[in-house]
């Protein structure tokens, strides 16, 4: 898709023009014991998120 054919609002929001490929890990068992903090500052074991089923993990870059 050419930049000129992208709708103006889509260009403004910076959304992806081309579909991106995903690369999920073959084995995420090494991540289960890593401890992270939730929004309230409580420590949570990363593996607890996918104990009952699949989970999506998103890391956001901090700006500021």
């Amino acid at each position: 898709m050419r930049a000129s054919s992208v709708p103006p609002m889509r260009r403004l929001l910076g959304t992806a023009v081309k579909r991106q490929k995903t690369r999920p890990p073959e084995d995420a068992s090494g991540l289960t014991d890593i401890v992270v903090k939730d929004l309230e500052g409580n420590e949570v074991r990363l593996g607890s998120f996918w104990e009952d089923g699949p989970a999506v993990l998103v890391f956001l870059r901090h700006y500021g």
Side-chain angles (χ1 to χ4, degrees):
M1 194 179 238
R2 290 185 358 240
S4 60
S5 65
V6 177
M9 186 56 104
R10 193 168 176 190
R11 273 197 316 264
L12 176 68
L13 296 175
T15 57
V17 175
K18 290 177 26 180
R19 185 172 179 86
Q20 298 176 355
K21 295 181 180 179
T22 60
R23 295 183 313 250
E26 294 284 327
D27 177 26
S29 63
L31 302 174
T32 58
D33 292 327
I34 294 175
V35 176
V36 295
K37 292 188 178 186
D38 65 12
L39 293 175
E40 288 80 38
N42 302 313
E43 291 187 346
V44 180
R45 194 177 58 82
L46 202 55
S48 68
F49 292 113
W50 60 80
E51 284 177 341
D52 298 326
V56 175
L57 216 47
V58 178
F59 292 92
L60 300 176
R61 182 177 173 187
H62 173 67
Y63 293 97

